[in-house]
Amino acid sequence: MTLQKSITLEEFLAQPETKPYREYLNGEVVEKTMGKRDHSRLQARLARLLDSWADSPGHGEVLTELRCILTTPAQRHVQLPDVSWFSRTPKLDDGNALTPPDLAVEILSPDDRFSRVNLKLRIYLEAGTKEVWLVDPEERTILIRRRAEEEHLLEAIDESLESPLLPGFSVGLGDLFRVLDTSQT
């Protein structure tokens, strides 16, 4: 849902942070789609797995919902990836990352619109993010996009999620999505 049209980045950043969170895409303030239980469980699981991998020296930093100011050739945007990995500590200004994450993970929510999600993925890559994962809890798939490469869809439950960015990181899709199979208590 677009909340405000045509404000500047500076005006957006001057506004207090709210919940639900807001992003700034193409000069518009957009409410970030709030995830439900499956979204939250996958976000926590991926963050734990990546953080465990990143505990090795020199493996960077894993963060969730960090406000990233992304600069593309056309303009500047603000996005909050569900999970992000930075190979180095990001340059910060007032708590906002000024450097794009090396890896951005977006987890689909039931209310997400394809056009907006596709725009967000494109912005990450244009701003310098090397790889984006789009996780679909309902379909139990992960779409991987890398700059200047064809996208790759992981959809078989016995496939493994790996990346040339993350040497030694590997998780089977069955293991990752198993977190969704727990009881609904």
Side-chain angles (χ1 to χ4, degrees):
M1 160 197 294
T2 301
L3 301 175
Q4 293 174 301
K5 291 188 180 250
S6 302
I7 69 169
T8 67
L9 176 66
E10 291 72 24
E11 291 169 328
F12 173 76
L13 293 173
Q15 295 177 354
E17 290 189 46
T18 62
K19 285 193 177 181
Y21 295 124
R22 295 169 300 135
E23 296 179 305
Y24 182 75
L25 307 172
N26 285 340
E28 296 180 356
V29 178
V30 178
E31 192 174 279
K32 183 171 169 74
T33 305
M34 295 302 294
K36 304 283 189 240
R37 180 178 184 269
D38 286 350
H39 181 282
S40 292
R41 293 194 65 141
L42 274 173
Q43 181 181 19
R45 177 90 170 118
L46 272 169
R48 278 193 311 270
L49 289 167
L50 286 166
D51 198 48
S52 177
W53 170 84
D55 271 347
S56 298
H59 278 188
E61 183 173 17
V62 177
L63 300 163
T64 59
E65 303 286 346
L66 177 67
R67 185 187 262 187
C68 297
I69 300 174
L70 304 169
T71 302
T72 64
Q75 65 188 78
R76 296 172 75 201
H77 312 269
V78 176
Q79 294 185 183
L80 293 99
D82 292 311
V83 181
S84 56
W85 172 71
F86 294 84
S87 60
R88 296 186 185 104
T89 301
K91 181 178 177 185
L92 299 174
D93 179 33
D94 198 26
N96 303 309
L98 298 178
T99 50
D102 293 276
L103 169 69
V105 179
E106 289 288 339
I107 301 169
L108 284 176
S109 298
D111 297 334
D112 277 327
R113 290 189 359 237
F114 175 78
S115 60
R116 179 154 310 133
V117 171
N118 198 43
L119 171 64
K120 289 175 69 171
L121 300 184
R122 194 180 81 239
I123 288 170
Y124 284 123
L125 295 172
E126 287 179 6
T129 298
K130 295 174 182 152
E131 185 168 301
V132 181
W133 298 348
L134 179 61
V135 181
D136 186 337
E138 188 174 311
E139 296 295 323
R140 297 185 181 207
T141 61
I142 300 177
L143 179 70
I144 299 171
R145 287 191 185 169
R146 294 181 184 111
R147 289 188 297 168
E149 288 186 27
E150 293 288 321
E151 62 187 31
H152 179 69
L153 180 66
L154 298 175
E155 56 187 339
I157 206 69
D158 59 348
E159 288 189 84
S160 290
L161 175 59
E162 299 173 350
S163 169
L165 287 177
L166 313 170
F169 176 83
S170 180
V171 62
L173 261 59
D175 185 43
L176 175 64
F177 288 113
R178 189 171 296 115
V179 72
L180 303 179
D181 296 332
T182 59
S183 68
Q184 298 286 325
T185 58

